[in-house]
Amino acid sequence: MIAVLKQGTSQEQIEHLTSWLETQGIGVHICEGHFQTIVGLLGDTSRVDEELLSGLDMVESVKRISEPFKSANRKFHPDDSIIEIPAPDGTCVKVGGGNFVAIAGPCSVESEAQILEVARAVKASGANLLRGGAFKPRTSPYDFQGLKADGIALLLEAKKETGLPIVTEIMSADHLPLFEEVDVIQVGARNMQNFELLKELGKTRKPILLKRGLANTMKEFLMSAEYIMAGGNENIILCERGVRTFETYTRNTLDLAAVPMLHELTHLPIIVDPSHATGISRLVRPMACAAAACNADGIMIEVHNDPKKALCDGPQSLTPAQFDDVMKAVLRVREAVL
Amino acid sequence: MIAVLKQGTSQEQIEHLTSWLETQGIGVHICEGHFQTIVGLLGDTSRVDEELLSGLDMVESVKRISEPFKSANRKFHPDDSIIEIPAPDGTCVKVGGGNFVAIAGPCSVESEAQILEVARAVKASGANLLRGGAFKPRTSPYDFQGLKADGIALLLEAKKETGLPIVTEIMSADHLPLFEEVDVIQVGARNMQNFELLKELGKTRKPILLKRGLANTMKEFLMSAEYIMAGGNENIILCERGVRTFETYTRNTLDLAAVPMLHELTHLPIIVDPSHATGISRLVRPMACAAAACNADGIMIEVHNDPKKALCDGPQSLTPAQFDDVMKAVLRVREAVL
Amino acid sequence: MIAVLKQGTSQEQIEHLTSWLETQGIGVHICEGHFQTIVGLLGDTSRVDEELLSGLDMVESVKRISEPFKSANRKFHPDDSIIEIPAPDGTCVKVGGGNFVAIAGPCSVESEAQILEVARAVKASGANLLRGGAFKPRTSPYDFQGLKADGIALLLEAKKETGLPIVTEIMSADHLPLFEEVDVIQVGARNMQNFELLKELGKTRKPILLKRGLANTMKEFLMSAEYIMAGGNENIILCERGVRTFETYTRNTLDLAAVPMLHELTHLPIIVDPSHATGISRLVRPMACAAAACNADGIMIEVHNDPKKALCDGPQSLTPAQFDDVMKAVLRVREAVL
Amino acid sequence: MIAVLKQGTSQEQIEHLTSWLETQGIGVHICEGHFQTIVGLLGDTSRVDEELLSGLDMVESVKRISEPFKSANRKFHPDDSIIEIPAPDGTCVKVGGGNFVAIAGPCSVESEAQILEVARAVKASGANLLRGGAFKPRTSPYDFQGLKADGIALLLEAKKETGLPIVTEIMSADHLPLFEEVDVIQVGARNMQNFELLKELGKTRKPILLKRGLANTMKEFLMSAEYIMAGGNENIILCERGVRTFETYTRNTLDLAAVPMLHELTHLPIIVDPSHATGISRLVRPMACAAAACNADGIMIEVHNDPKKALCDGPQSLTPAQFDDVMKAVLRVREAVL
């Protein structure tokens, strides 16, 4: 971290700053230039409050050189993290470190028949986790909000029936008791910076599927993971699901370069959700293949037994047959890039 | 609302669609063109699930002509809403309908001395509400998170001392009991689409200061207000605080055109926060004046007795003297545009 | 195209509008609803001036249903266009319709030794077009601007030596005479809406490599292609090279979903430039593979014999050995997704 | 400027870098930390090629501390620049340094009657420059492209008649001969980085009205001004006209905070175009007042004698009567903020 001091900062002020930083265990190196004095901060600067530092009136600007995230940082944890999700049969679904996960299921759980039919179909095609929305974040209060507790019950039934561990989204820490038997808890894009929720999830040891916010940088994404990890829960799977831009043909702009970039920055696994990113079912196959081609640790795809009747997100869902075709292509691509 | 049907849609399918819509109380008008058939939906389409409709396989695309928000819509409520905030002395602070509000205070409540000094100063300069952060949403779990309950206690002390009603941010519905005596509850940008929180606030009758999300459209902003109003709480003050763009010299890009645009779309009052939008104290005066010039219903400004020691957001805070100067200029501008 | 009329529009006004549209060869269909009247425009609306129409005071809003681009539109030209680039040996390099092109070379042409060495290397690895910058668009007037005419001469030498047709960027129509022997003329992102340049290129019959602007929608991208095609030149290769967002770890955000989306909208081939999109050489391999996986018609990659000495864009250039490895992986991915 | 070196950079490499920088007249200061070595570059770093420097393989990252623009930089030119535009009557219209300019006129010049009527009207309301489009950059090749040379002839007639100097847009350096008698040459947003055009304009001494690009940072905006100034033409007026975001209710997002920010960074005058920024005539008055309130050096507003018949941009044009009202309000606001 570097602090550029304003012209005319006195020696005394500099010493005051230096001692204040040293009390925080930060080493200091001063470079005095003709036009400006630069203070280099050495050591673990992730705990230095950047806004506080730039608030000091002797400071012109502050620039971070090392990242503000620590537990999530690959520099301090070179090996890939592998997240293990116990399956009913005693085995484990592994994500990361070369283990590819395929998560599939309907946007919303609608009925027993629907979720069972989809669960059996996606399992047959090679999915190893079942997704389904029970609590639905909808932009309009008048749109379908999900079956809530009943939806979770139906997912657990499908889990019992197929042996697939389940993934479903949480919208409030108050609902945590309902997630007792849920295998992976999803945090949606709109809650990526719901810090109180992240802190509560940090107290659990459940695997968390953390989706990137619609307009959040990779740094903020990792800082949100850091919130959960700071609480002691290191079981985090990151999910790129598209960011918001000016483009309107696709719902969001899928930032696939974030996959290799995040692999550099962090040891956590990164999966991709092409369904929500594009909002168009015809684009799911090519973007799922592209995700596999840039080494994503998995994909999450919406599959519906009858998309035209889906209670939400119909336009982006695949039929079981289409999903089967996508899975075959994705596995071939993984072979190709090894 | 308009639905464009795919070529080759049968008469039978169209009738099926029509009857399905009519069961929802929606009138239907069909225009058959050479290349495509267009279905016009008439009546209250705010309750039609746009994604569900576009999910039907006969539908090529859906376009909304009327807005999806209803309670917040000026069309159904032509007069400005005036939000009334009771003051300790029995009077009311009014916002909207020509009533201008000036909210000021420190980013974070730090100590009794600090909050009392700032409260007295901003009141003397004409502020009619006191702001101060007790629960702080910070990007990093390692940054100062606020004094929490103690911060609220200090705000209430300042309220008792100065008679200024207080505004402070809530980060979780679980904290609501602590907000009993808080006069205006703020929902921060990162929680604008925390729908569970919005629903809980809809059950209260407290005035809500709803900040626009970093990358949310005005339509989404009004849909979040709609969440609160759908619960029965119509006491909402909207706050424009800058959106996220590619620009880096300023922290965010203050979207001032949203003020007159929102005034057209909704009857709710709209205020502006130039401190967080720009992140630079030197830009607060010109942008506060600009907000008044485009008819904002108020401003919210960070004021600190000693910015260089602020525990957060130092670079954007004004001194009491600077705030006094801003208030004078803002009031002159209001005169000028009447 | 649909025009929503304001409430209270008189029958006479509607007839006036109808006849005015019919003089432009546009069919009209009126749907009168309870609250509003909707005018459906039928026929070739690509020539209707949307802004002019919405300027009429009886019109509340205008919504396009069919795209404003025509020559580039797949609806009117279902088969893929195949762009043919004659090679010195009498053969043709084909792009599109299943023909994959690999364009490689240095960001800037620097010397005879450099361009020849790179040209030989990339040819050996399977590149079929040589790229190199002679005119360089740089943000700063103080940065290296390219060898200009000398750069083109060196490219032609490399073409003679290796038999690879060449691609280089034009920055002004005044330079066209210098591009006599250039095989493919590149239009850079910053000139995507330099309409005067596009018109001049429309008069030539040279293949044009049109790069997407930093903040342009796919629709605008296709309208710029339309400018060239309207002049009679249909030899256009589109190039996705990343759009501008709030993210800072990567130089731009590569919008790979634009590849399958554009394939739906247009018959023109679409290639991808992972070097400029990411600005980081380590991300070029995964993103080139991802581009192949979502069916891009080619890739354009920066290769330099000694990146650390590159006069520009060093951080994103590959060594010939790295490029060779990328080519092998890309071809395997193409196999996998067939 | 600061260069962070990779771990394990040898003393020899550092010396090599140092001497290379010194040959460019750059002073060097080395700070060796425990984990990294930081090289501080001192002196005029605006001529250091940032990309070249970060291309060196010993360099981990480069951060600019001082701005890359020099002639436009207020640091080296503390006083406001005042641009003088000679009027036919021998007087001068001044822009900047406290001189406020009001530019008004139709989007497109359509006829003698139209331009004369508008010119007389806006002059009567206090406009001191007449604008009108002769060459029109349109997204679609099928939309009206302007009257070109005839349009300029009509503008010159209106100038003769009213004594108002004229402003009109150039789209290609080839058209410069037609701009002989044009008083201010406008460079549109889409050409802000048409560097060849900027270089040609740098050779003239005409006042240039440079509009900010749709997705360009303030830094890039000033670098484009730098291109013109590097050629010797320092008569530049900057124009903020809205940037592109995800918002759709307004055409662009007017970045008014750019006005005070640019005033800090540069000595050049900055005006605001609320007509193109919002695309909605009803928003022009509040945003023009807001521009004046944050100390813009002028406004540029579209005025049409009969907006509903405008050949382009109708929805954003004001009537002469509306413009007259805006002028009165704007002047009152200027008084208020002095």
Side-chain angles (χ1 to χ4, degrees):
Chain A
M1 202 176 208
I2 277 170
V4 182
L5 303 187
K6 295 205 180 113
Q7 288 188 13
T9 302
S10 71
Q11 207 50 47
E12 188 194 352
Q13 286 174 297
I14 296 176
E15 278 152 23
H16 175 275
L17 174 65
T18 306
S19 55
W20 175 70
L21 287 167
E22 282 166 352
T23 61
Q24 302 178 51
I26 302 298
V28 173
H29 188 104
I30 312 287
C31 344
E32 302 201 3
H34 303 231
F35 305 112
Q36 60 213 346
T37 298
I38 294 157
V39 179
L41 283 65
L42 312 168
D44 171 14
T45 58
S46 66
R47 281 167 167 66
V48 174
D49 191 325
E50 189 169 349
E51 286 184 326
L52 172 49
L53 185 60
S54 28
L56 301 173
D57 65 358
M58 75 184 81
V59 174
E60 184 175 302
S61 66
V62 171
K63 294 180 187 292
R64 270 199 187 279
I65 284 156
S66 59
E67 298 80 12
F69 44 90
K70 198 173 179 209
S71 307
N73 198 327
R74 189 179 283 275
K75 277 192 188 145
F76 311 118
H77 184 315
D79 299 337
D80 290 342
S81 284
I82 297 175
I83 309 306
E84 301 199 336
I85 302 149
D89 66 5
T91 65
C92 258
V93 175
K94 294 181 177 175
V95 190
N99 303 285
F100 190 83
V101 68
I103 309 174
C107 172
S108 296
V109 180
E110 293 161 27
S111 70
E112 180 175 4
Q114 172 235 25
I115 192 66
L116 287 178
E117 183 182 335
V118 174
R120 288 192 202 97
V122 300
K123 185 185 185 182
S125 301
N128 33 25
L129 289 177
L130 174 67
R131 61 146 289 157
F135 292 90
K136 302 296 305 169
R138 303 301 302 275
T139 306
S140 168
Y142 310 121
D143 288 350
F144 176 62
Q145 308 274 318
L147 295 181
K148 307 195 168 64
D150 299 346
I152 292 181
L154 293 173
L155 281 167
L156 291 171
E157 214 174 300
K159 172 185 176 181
K160 198 156 144 237
E161 165 94 17
T162 59
L164 291 176
I166 60 172
V167 184
T168 194
E169 178 168 354
I170 193 163
M171 288 175 63
S172 163
D174 299 345
H175 301 152
L176 265 171
L178 295 169
F179 285 70
E180 266 305 319
E181 299 172 65
V182 170
D183 303 288
V184 179
I185 301 179
Q186 175 176 320
V187 176
R190 289 172 184 73
N191 280 316
M192 192 201 89
Q193 291 192 313
N194 180 342
F195 300 120
E196 293 302 308
L197 175 60
L198 300 178
K199 285 178 196 167
E200 290 305 313
L201 295 173
K203 296 175 188 164
T204 74
R205 290 298 173 265
K206 291 253 188 210
I208 307 298
L209 178 62
L210 180 65
K211 290 192 139 195
R212 181 180 182 180
L214 265 80
N216 288 106
T217 61
M218 295 183 219
K219 186 183 284 184
E220 290 168 330
F221 193 15
L222 292 174
M223 290 311 291
S224 287
E226 194 79 13
Y227 256 97
I228 300 170
M229 298 172 96
N233 183 358
E234 305 220 324
N235 300 310
I236 299 170
I237 301 164
L238 301 172
C239 181
E240 161 61 33
R241 43 83 67 220
V243 294
R244 176 161 279 183
T245 68
F246 50 82
E247 179 56 62
T248 55
Y249 271 124
T250 47
R251 182 191 293 165
N252 295 114
T253 297
L254 183 60
D255 181 10
L256 275 185
V259 173
M261 191 72 234
L262 285 167
H263 274 148
E264 256 191 50
L265 296 166
T266 184
H267 50 86
L268 297 170
I270 300 114
I271 70 168
V272 172
D273 175 349
S275 303
H276 284 84
T278 62
I280 300 171
S281 61
R282 301 179 305 277
L283 302 191
V284 171
R285 184 190 197 272
M287 300 327 290
C289 288
C294 60
N295 304 312
D297 298 298
I299 49 175
M300 177 150 79
I301 291 180
E302 265 183 35
V303 178
H304 197 285
N305 48 347
D306 186 358
K308 73 176 170 302
K309 291 215 191 61
L311 288 184
C312 77
D313 285 359
Q316 75 201 27
S317 291
L318 299 186
T319 62
Q322 292 169 320
F323 175 68
D324 191 67
D325 166 58
V326 170
M327 281 299 288
K328 288 189 174 67
V330 163
L331 295 176
R332 287 199 306 273
V333 170
R334 284 202 22 98
E335 288 293 317
V337 291
L338 285 183
Chain B
M1 203 177 207
I2 276 169
V4 182
L5 303 187
K6 294 206 181 111
Q7 290 187 12
T9 302
S10 71
Q11 207 50 46
E12 188 194 354
Q13 287 175 295
I14 296 175
E15 279 153 23
H16 176 276
L17 175 66
T18 307
S19 54
W20 175 71
L21 287 167
E22 282 165 352
T23 61
Q24 300 177 54
I26 300 298
V28 173
H29 188 104
I30 312 287
C31 345
E32 300 200 5
H34 303 232
F35 305 111
Q36 60 212 348
T37 298
I38 294 158
V39 180
L41 283 65
L42 312 168
D44 172 13
T45 58
S46 67
R47 281 167 168 65
V48 175
D49 190 325
E50 188 168 350
E51 286 183 327
L52 172 50
L53 185 60
S54 29
L56 302 172
D57 65 358
M58 75 184 80
V59 174
E60 185 176 300
S61 65
V62 170
K63 294 181 187 292
R64 273 199 185 279
I65 283 156
S66 58
E67 298 80 11
F69 44 90
K70 197 173 181 212
S71 307
N73 197 326
R74 190 179 280 276
K75 278 195 186 139
F76 310 119
H77 185 315
D79 298 336
D80 290 342
S81 284
I82 297 175
I83 310 305
E84 301 199 336
I85 302 150
D89 64 5
T91 65
C92 259
V93 175
K94 294 180 176 178
V95 189
N99 302 285
F100 190 83
V101 68
I103 308 173
C107 172
S108 298
V109 180
E110 292 162 28
S111 70
E112 180 175 4
Q114 171 236 23
I115 192 66
L116 287 179
E117 182 182 336
V118 175
R120 289 194 201 96
V122 299
K123 184 184 186 183
S125 300
N128 33 27
L129 289 177
L130 174 66
R131 63 146 289 157
F135 292 90
K136 301 296 304 170
R138 303 300 303 275
T139 306
S140 168
Y142 310 122
D143 287 350
F144 176 61
Q145 307 275 318
L147 295 181
K148 306 195 170 63
D150 298 345
I152 292 181
L154 292 174
L155 281 166
L156 291 171
E157 214 174 301
K159 171 185 176 180
K160 197 154 146 240
E161 165 93 15
T162 60
L164 290 176
I166 60 171
V167 185
T168 194
E169 177 167 355
I170 193 164
M171 288 176 64
S172 163
D174 299 345
H175 300 154
L176 265 171
L178 294 170
F179 286 69
E180 267 306 318
E181 297 172 66
V182 171
D183 303 288
V184 180
I185 301 179
Q186 175 177 321
V187 176
R190 290 172 183 75
N191 279 316
M192 191 202 90
Q193 292 193 314
N194 180 343
F195 301 121
E196 293 303 307
L197 175 59
L198 299 178
K199 286 178 195 167
E200 290 307 312
L201 295 173
K203 297 174 187 164
T204 74
R205 291 299 172 265
K206 290 252 190 211
I208 307 299
L209 178 62
L210 181 64
K211 290 193 139 191
R212 181 181 183 180
L214 264 80
N216 289 108
T217 61
M218 294 183 219
K219 185 184 285 183
E220 291 168 330
F221 193 15
L222 292 174
M223 290 312 291
S224 288
E226 194 80 12
Y227 256 96
I228 300 170
M229 297 172 97
N233 183 358
E234 306 219 324
N235 299 312
I236 300 170
I237 301 164
L238 302 172
C239 180
E240 161 62 31
R241 44 81 69 222
V243 294
R244 176 161 279 183
T245 68
F246 51 82
E247 179 57 60
T248 54
Y249 271 124
T250 47
R251 182 192 292 165
N252 295 116
T253 296
L254 182 61
D255 181 11
L256 275 185
V259 173
M261 191 72 236
L262 286 167
H263 274 148
E264 255 191 51
L265 297 167
T266 184
H267 50 86
L268 298 170
I270 300 113
I271 69 167
V272 172
D273 174 349
S275 303
H276 284 84
T278 63
I280 300 171
S281 60
R282 301 179 305 277
L283 302 191
V284 170
R285 185 191 197 271
M287 301 326 291
C289 289
C294 61
N295 304 312
D297 298 297
I299 49 174
M300 176 148 80
I301 291 181
E302 264 183 37
V303 178
H304 197 287
N305 48 347
D306 186 0
K308 75 175 169 302
K309 289 216 192 60
L311 289 182
C312 76
D313 284 0
Q316 74 201 29
S317 291
L318 299 186
T319 61
Q322 292 170 321
F323 174 69
D324 191 68
D325 167 57
V326 170
M327 282 300 287
K328 289 189 172 68
V330 162
L331 295 176
R332 287 198 305 272
V333 171
R334 287 203 19 97
E335 285 296 316
V337 292
L338 284 185
Chain C
M1 203 177 207
I2 276 169
V4 182
L5 303 187
K6 295 205 180 112
Q7 290 187 13
T9 303
S10 71
Q11 207 50 47
E12 188 193 355
Q13 286 174 297
I14 295 176
E15 278 152 23
H16 176 275
L17 174 66
T18 307
S19 54
W20 174 72
L21 286 167
E22 281 165 356
T23 61
Q24 301 177 53
I26 300 299
V28 173
H29 187 103
I30 312 288
C31 345
E32 301 200 5
H34 304 233
F35 306 111
Q36 60 212 347
T37 298
I38 294 157
V39 180
L41 283 66
L42 312 167
D44 172 13
T45 58
S46 67
R47 282 167 168 67
V48 174
D49 190 325
E50 188 168 349
E51 286 184 327
L52 172 49
L53 185 61
S54 28
L56 302 173
D57 64 0
M58 75 183 80
V59 175
E60 185 175 302
S61 67
V62 171
K63 293 179 186 296
R64 272 199 186 279
I65 284 156
S66 59
E67 298 81 11
F69 45 91
K70 199 174 179 210
S71 307
N73 198 326
R74 190 179 279 277
K75 278 193 187 143
F76 310 119
H77 185 314
D79 299 336
D80 289 342
S81 284
I82 297 175
I83 310 305
E84 300 198 337
I85 302 149
D89 65 5
T91 64
C92 259
V93 175
K94 293 181 177 176
V95 189
N99 302 284
F100 190 83
V101 68
I103 309 174
C107 172
S108 298
V109 180
E110 292 161 28
S111 70
E112 180 175 3
Q114 173 236 23
I115 192 67
L116 286 179
E117 183 182 337
V118 175
R120 288 194 201 96
V122 299
K123 186 185 185 182
S125 301
N128 32 28
L129 289 176
L130 175 67
R131 62 146 290 157
F135 292 89
K136 301 297 305 171
R138 303 300 303 275
T139 306
S140 167
Y142 311 122
D143 288 350
F144 176 62
Q145 307 275 318
L147 295 181
K148 306 195 168 64
D150 298 345
I152 292 181
L154 292 173
L155 281 167
L156 291 171
E157 215 174 299
K159 171 185 177 179
K160 197 155 145 240
E161 165 93 14
T162 60
L164 291 176
I166 60 172
V167 185
T168 194
E169 177 168 354
I170 193 163
M171 287 175 64
S172 163
D174 299 346
H175 301 152
L176 264 171
L178 295 169
F179 286 69
E180 267 305 321
E181 298 172 65
V182 171
D183 303 289
V184 179
I185 301 179
Q186 175 177 321
V187 176
R190 289 171 183 74
N191 279 315
M192 192 201 89
Q193 290 193 313
N194 179 343
F195 300 121
E196 293 302 307
L197 176 60
L198 299 177
K199 285 178 194 167
E200 289 306 312
L201 295 173
K203 296 176 187 162
T204 73
R205 291 299 172 266
K206 291 256 188 208
I208 307 299
L209 178 62
L210 180 66
K211 291 192 140 193
R212 181 181 183 179
L214 264 79
N216 289 107
T217 62
M218 295 182 219
K219 185 183 283 182
E220 291 168 330
F221 193 15
L222 291 173
M223 291 311 292
S224 288
E226 195 79 12
Y227 256 95
I228 300 170
M229 297 173 97
N233 184 359
E234 305 219 326
N235 300 311
I236 299 171
I237 302 165
L238 302 171
C239 181
E240 160 62 31
R241 43 80 69 222
V243 294
R244 175 161 281 183
T245 67
F246 51 82
E247 180 56 61
T248 54
Y249 271 124
T250 48
R251 183 192 292 164
N252 296 115
T253 297
L254 182 60
D255 181 11
L256 275 185
V259 174
M261 191 73 235
L262 285 167
H263 274 148
E264 256 190 52
L265 296 167
T266 185
H267 51 85
L268 298 170
I270 300 113
I271 69 168
V272 172
D273 175 349
S275 303
H276 284 84
T278 62
I280 300 170
S281 60
R282 301 179 305 276
L283 303 190
V284 171
R285 184 190 197 272
M287 300 328 290
C289 289
C294 61
N295 304 310
D297 298 296
I299 48 174
M300 177 149 79
I301 290 180
E302 266 184 35
V303 178
H304 197 285
N305 48 346
D306 186 0
K308 74 177 167 303
K309 291 215 191 61
L311 288 183
C312 75
D313 284 0
Q316 75 202 28
S317 290
L318 299 187
T319 61
Q322 293 169 319
F323 175 68
D324 191 67
D325 167 57
V326 170
M327 282 300 289
K328 289 189 173 66
V330 163
L331 296 176
R332 288 199 304 273
V333 170
R334 286 204 19 98
E335 287 294 316
V337 292
L338 284 185
Chain D
M1 201 176 209
I2 277 170
V4 183
L5 304 187
K6 294 203 180 112
Q7 290 187 12
T9 303
S10 71
Q11 207 49 46
E12 190 194 353
Q13 286 175 296
I14 295 176
E15 278 152 23
H16 176 276
L17 175 64
T18 307
S19 54
W20 174 71
L21 286 167
E22 282 165 355
T23 61
Q24 301 177 53
I26 300 299
V28 173
H29 188 103
I30 312 287
C31 343
E32 301 200 4
H34 304 234
F35 305 112
Q36 59 212 345
T37 299
I38 295 158
V39 180
L41 283 65
L42 313 168
D44 172 15
T45 58
S46 66
R47 281 166 167 67
V48 174
D49 191 325
E50 188 168 350
E51 285 183 326
L52 172 48
L53 185 60
S54 28
L56 302 173
D57 65 359
M58 75 184 80
V59 175
E60 185 175 300
S61 66
V62 171
K63 294 180 187 293
R64 270 198 188 280
I65 283 156
S66 60
E67 299 80 10
F69 45 90
K70 199 174 177 209
S71 307
N73 198 327
R74 189 179 281 276
K75 277 192 188 143
F76 310 118
H77 184 317
D79 299 337
D80 291 342
S81 284
I82 297 174
I83 309 305
E84 300 199 336
I85 303 150
D89 65 6
T91 64
C92 259
V93 175
K94 293 180 177 176
V95 189
N99 302 285
F100 190 83
V101 68
I103 308 174
C107 172
S108 296
V109 180
E110 293 161 26
S111 71
E112 181 175 3
Q114 172 235 24
I115 192 67
L116 286 179
E117 183 181 336
V118 175
R120 287 192 203 97
V122 299
K123 185 184 185 183
S125 301
N128 33 26
L129 288 176
L130 174 67
R131 62 145 289 156
F135 292 91
K136 301 295 306 169
R138 304 300 303 274
T139 306
S140 168
Y142 310 123
D143 288 350
F144 176 61
Q145 307 275 318
L147 295 181
K148 305 193 169 63
D150 298 345
I152 292 181
L154 293 173
L155 281 167
L156 291 171
E157 215 174 298
K159 171 184 176 180
K160 199 157 141 234
E161 166 93 15
T162 59
L164 291 175
I166 60 172
V167 184
T168 194
E169 178 168 354
I170 193 163
M171 288 175 62
S172 164
D174 299 346
H175 301 153
L176 265 171
L178 295 169
F179 286 69
E180 268 305 320
E181 298 172 67
V182 170
D183 304 286
V184 179
I185 301 179
Q186 176 177 321
V187 176
R190 291 173 184 73
N191 280 315
M192 191 201 90
Q193 291 192 314
N194 180 342
F195 300 120
E196 293 303 307
L197 176 59
L198 299 179
K199 285 179 194 167
E200 289 306 313
L201 295 173
K203 296 176 187 163
T204 73
R205 291 301 172 262
K206 292 253 189 210
I208 307 298
L209 178 62
L210 180 65
K211 289 192 139 193
R212 181 180 182 179
L214 265 79
N216 289 107
T217 61
M218 295 182 218
K219 185 183 285 183
E220 290 169 330
F221 192 15
L222 291 174
M223 290 312 292
S224 287
E226 194 80 12
Y227 257 96
I228 300 171
M229 297 172 97
N233 183 359
E234 306 220 324
N235 299 311
I236 300 171
I237 301 165
L238 302 171
C239 180
E240 160 63 30
R241 43 81 68 220
V243 294
R244 175 161 281 182
T245 68
F246 50 82
E247 180 56 62
T248 55
Y249 270 124
T250 47
R251 183 192 291 164
N252 296 115
T253 297
L254 182 60
D255 181 10
L256 275 185
V259 173
M261 191 73 235
L262 285 167
H263 274 148
E264 254 190 52
L265 296 167
T266 185
H267 51 85
L268 297 170
I270 300 114
I271 70 167
V272 172
D273 175 349
S275 303
H276 283 85
T278 64
I280 300 170
S281 60
R282 302 179 303 277
L283 302 191
V284 171
R285 184 191 198 272
M287 300 326 291
C289 288
C294 61
N295 304 311
D297 298 296
I299 49 174
M300 177 149 80
I301 291 180
E302 266 184 36
V303 179
H304 197 286
N305 48 347
D306 185 359
K308 74 175 167 304
K309 290 214 190 62
L311 288 183
C312 76
D313 283 1
Q316 74 201 28
S317 291
L318 298 186
T319 61
Q322 291 169 320
F323 175 69
D324 191 68
D325 167 58
V326 171
M327 281 300 288
K328 289 188 173 66
V330 163
L331 295 177
R332 286 199 304 272
V333 171
R334 289 210 9 105
E335 287 294 317
V337 292
L338 284 185

